[in-house]
Each structure stands twice: as C-alpha cells, then as structure tokens.
Amino acid sequence: MGDIFVIMDKLLIKGGNRLEGEIYASGAKNSALPILAASLLADSPLKVGNLPHLNDVTTMIELLGSMGLDITLSDTGEVEVDASTINNLNARYELVKTMRASILVLGPLLSKFSKAIVALPGGCAIGSRPVNLHVDAMRSMGAEIVLEEGYIKASSEGRLKGAKIVFDPVSVTATENVMMAAVLADGVTTIENAAREPEVVDLANCLRKMGAIISGEGTDIISIEGVKSLSGCEFSVMPDRVEVATYLTAVAMTGGKVKIKSSDARSFSSVIDKLEKTGAVFLTGEDWVSIEMNQDRPLSVSLTTGPYPSFPTDMQAQFVALNSIANGNATVTETIFENRFMHVQEIARMGGQISLKGNTAFIEGADFLVGAPVMATDLRASASLVLAGLVASGETTIDRIYHIDRGYERIEEKLKLLGADIERIS
Ligand code: UD1
C-alpha cells in the first residue's frame, strides 16, 4: 500500500484590520449535540432547526445514523431524526473517539431501550476528562454497568428508576445525560449541583416540548418526573454564545464596530462584563448585540473560569490572546480543565509574554504581536490563535484548523465579512 498523504487546511491571516459590519450567530454546538441525542427518546421524528454546519454536529448525526436511525436533511438546514428504525444500541469507538460528547447517547439509550454499549472516550488534549459522573449516575438509577474492552456496557431490568443524583464537580454533559435518562424513568429524579448552563435549559425546553415533565432547569436543582413515552417535535437550537463572545473579543482586540444578529447577550453576560472593562462599549437588543471599540489597545482584564454563570472556560484561551496585546498585566486562572493552556506556547511564538504557574497564566501585555506559523491544538485554543493573528503585524498561518471546524461555522467567511484579511489554504 502506498503512502497516504493527508492535506490539511490552514488559515492564513494578515493582521491589522479593524473589524466593522454585521454577521449572524450560528446555532449552538453544545445545545445541538444533546438535542440530537434526545431524538433517541422519541416515538416519532424530532425535527431540529438552526443546526450549525460543524464537524461535531456531523459526527453526532453519523453516530445516530450508525445505529440505524433514519435521518433526513432539509434544504433549510433542518435535520429530521426518526429513531423508530434503530437497529443497534452500540456507539462505536471510531466515532466516539473523535468527539467526547458522544457519551450523550448513553442516557437516552438506557432510558428508552434499557441497554447501551458506548465506547469510552479516549484521552483528550485538554485534560483527562473522565466520565465517572455519567456512569455513577446511571448506576444510581438502577443500571448495571461494566467497563470492558474499552466500552461502557450498560443495561437495566425494565425502566430506569428515579433517583437523587448529586454532582461533584458540576458537569454539563452529565447533567444533560441524567435529564435524558430520567425523562422516561420510573418516578422522580432530582439532580443537585446541576449545571446551570443555557444549553441545559435549551435541552429542557426541547424535552418538555416532546412531553417530558421537568422543572428547575437553569438553577442548581433540576427535578424530572418520568413519563411513559415521548413524541417528536420541532425545535430550533439557541444561538452559540461562545461563537458570539469569540467575535466580540476579536473586536475588542482589533478595534472597530460590529453587530451580531440572532444572539442573546443574556447568555454570556460574564464575558460582556469583562469586555466592558477592556474599554469596549456594548448595545444589546432582544436578539442582537453590538460592540464598539475605539481604543488602540484593550485594557488588560483578569479572570477566573467557573461553571455558569461564572466566566466560561470555553472563552479562556481567547482572553489570554486579548491580554497578550492589552495595556497592562493580567492573570487568567483555569479552574475547570487541567492542561487547557496549550495556546500559551503558540501565542508566545507571536511575541506574547506569558508565564504559567499551575493553573494560572500571568500575562504582561505587549505593545504588539508579530505574525508567525502556529499550530492549533484544540478547539478554543485555535480560536485564540485566530484572534492573535488578527492583531499581529504580518502573516500568521494556523495549521491543523480541523480543530476550529469542530466549533466555528465558516469562521473565515464571517471574519472576511467584517473586513479581516483571512483565507483558507491547503
Ligand atoms: C461541556 C462542554 C464544553 C465545556 C465544558 C465546561 C458540551 C458538549 N461541551 O463539556 O464545551 O468546555 O462543558 O463548561 O457541552 N468531570 C468529571 N467526571 C465526569 C465528567 C466531568 O470529573 O464524569 C469533570 C471534568 O474533568 C471537568 C468538570 O467535571 O473538570 C466539568 O466538565 P464537564 O462540565 O463535564 O464538561 P463537558 O460536559 O465534557
């Protein structure tokens, strides 16, 4: 067999342009993934709208397809998923290894079919990211689970049983998995120390539309009363708050004036609060947000990540980039994931002055960054390199951008619309 050459796309950015104009937010990846998994619970098709065109979403659709679900894509970007054609309950390693969120099929499979075989997600670039909370919660609800040959093999005698689940630490996808396990369980499930993320609320809204009985979503105690069956419905996923916050952070770095339509500023107020401290000025409406930045450089701003409503870990890397060209010094502390600082070395290659001690980055704002070839290492780290490239002098090429394509829909097209000099090359 001959050698196989894989040509990987890169982004080429010539920095220095101010960003001006209007773009639309895409649908939220982290809401789309659990909602697609929820299709497994319904007796009739679930139609999901506002899905972003992202590799992770494609992977989830492929995963459902590999179990025999009937999937129809409409011209308008909606996906209709019919779980009545399911013919196997196995989430294979080849798909799970590319996306940890595949674990989200565990709860629905167990709840609806009393059986699930889900590959254990492999190690991840941003820390060990275990799945013990998911497994323990399913056991508390009566599932028998063995971890064997790299798989979670789970089954239950009849329906799962409602239970009291207390999470420590707070976990977004474990909260979602338990919600989906509980909607068809026997009795009432309460989740304490539940994740309060807006995507958890979006999932609850979808499940409720399918006939589930849920209360307390958006607080740290969620209560679910199991029902006998659920039906499909039409549901449109919420706007992607991390995508929007990333573009707003870009504008705080480059200067300019940008409006983002179809976005909900209430879902990322902790980020707006920090961007205001850098000197940016915001206006918000029911479904839009605009930013104006007139300073040459942002003021530095320190932060610590935490579960919602605290500052999101998914915006940490972008703020390391911002602080690296800010006026002043800042600290950025990561409390959610170990080892989520791979962008630091790459930004340092562009002139960023950052030192790491434990889970804190100490950043001395530099007067300018200089373009360089850099490597994307994970989704949000890649976004931070794009932002750094937008303000750096000269050319930045970012390699391995398949990471960006997991979470940002048409990033170069959206930035081009705002006046950035950015191109996808191979
Ligand atoms: C979700 C998001 C991800 C975001 C993260 C934190 C999706 C698809 N992904 O990931 O973008 O960065 O929330 O906001 O929604 N943990 C355990 N045991 C477990 C599960 C988690 O110890 O079984 C720990 C993790 O290592 C981490 C913390 O809990 O330290 C929070 O992680 P978690 O909220 O579960 O992240 P995800 O749901 O995987």
Side-chain angles (χ1 to χ4, degrees), residues 30-31 34-35 104 170-177 179-180 191 194-208 214-222 224 235 238 241 308:
N30 287 355
S31 177
I35 286 170
L104 283 165
V170 186
S171 164
V172 178
T173 46
T175 299
E176 293 165 344
N177 236 341
M179 282 164 66
M180 292 189 281
I191 311 174
R196 297 163 61 185
E197 267 67 3
E199 292 78 10
V200 171
V201 176
D202 216 30
L203 173 64
N205 287 336
C206 177
L207 291 170
R208 203 177 287 118
I214 303 179
S215 60
E217 74 277 6
T219 75
D220 59 358
I221 301 183
I222 300 177
I224 303 127
F235 194 83
M238 63 176 284
R241 62 195 171 100
Y308 191 86

Side-chain angles (χ1 to χ4, degrees), residues 214-296:
I214 303 179
S215 60
E217 74 277 6
T219 75
D220 59 358
I221 301 183
I222 300 177
S223 174
I224 303 127
E225 191 182 323
V227 295
K228 287 265 160 28
S229 66
L230 295 172
S231 52
C233 68
E234 282 192 32
F235 194 83
S236 181
V237 304
M238 63 176 284
D240 195 316
R241 62 195 171 100
V242 181
E243 184 205 30
V244 175
T246 299
Y247 290 125
L248 296 175
T249 308
V251 181
M253 294 167 70
T254 61
K257 190 173 172 189
V258 165
K259 181 171 184 178
I260 306 185
K261 294 180 179 172
S262 309
S263 60
D264 181 358
R266 286 162 299 194
S267 65
F268 49 88
S269 47
S270 61
V271 179
I272 292 198
D273 188 48
K274 293 294 178 189
L275 287 176
E276 279 177 337
K277 294 196 166 72
T278 72
V281 177
F282 284 90
L283 288 175
T284 58
E286 198 45 43
D287 62 352
W288 58 268
V289 54
S290 75
I291 177 172
E292 185 163 358
M293 181 63 162
N294 291 318
Q295 290 171 202
D296 277 350

Side-chain angles (χ1 to χ4, degrees), residues 88-141:
N88 79 83
L89 306 172
N90 191 340
R92 294 198 327 263
Y93 179 63
E94 296 72 55
L95 288 164
V96 174
K97 73 173 181 199
T98 63
M99 185 182 71
R100 280 183 47 82
S102 309
I103 188 79
L104 283 165
V105 299
L106 177 65
L109 283 176
L110 259 177
S111 178
K112 171 89 172 153
F113 304 102
S114 302
K115 195 176 165 202
I117 302 175
V118 180
L120 279 165
C124 175
I126 61 172
S128 57
R129 299 186 83 171
V131 291
N132 58 306
L133 296 175
H134 301 249
V135 170
D136 291 349
M138 299 301 146
R139 281 189 175 129
S140 305
M141 297 179 75

Side-chain angles (χ1 to χ4, degrees), residues 350-423:
M350 301 172 71
Q353 292 166 27
I354 312 167
S355 60
L356 270 178
K357 217 178 255 167
N359 60 348
T360 298
F362 295 83
I363 309 155
E364 253 179 68
D367 292 343
F368 55 88
L369 295 178
V370 181
V374 289
M375 188 91 86
T377 51
D378 69 52
L379 171 54
R380 305 305 170 187
S382 332
S384 76
L385 300 178
V386 173
L387 303 198
L390 291 174
V391 285
S393 59
E395 285 189 4
T396 298
T397 34
I398 308 177
D399 204 348
R400 302 206 177 163
I401 56 162
Y402 54 85
H403 289 294
I404 302 187
D405 295 332
R406 288 187 45 210
Y408 291 89
E409 184 175 53
R410 295 180 287 115
I411 190 167
E412 73 278 18
E413 286 177 37
K414 290 195 181 186
L415 285 171
K416 239 188 233 171
L417 270 176
L418 299 178
D421 190 337
I422 178 169
E423 242 183 292

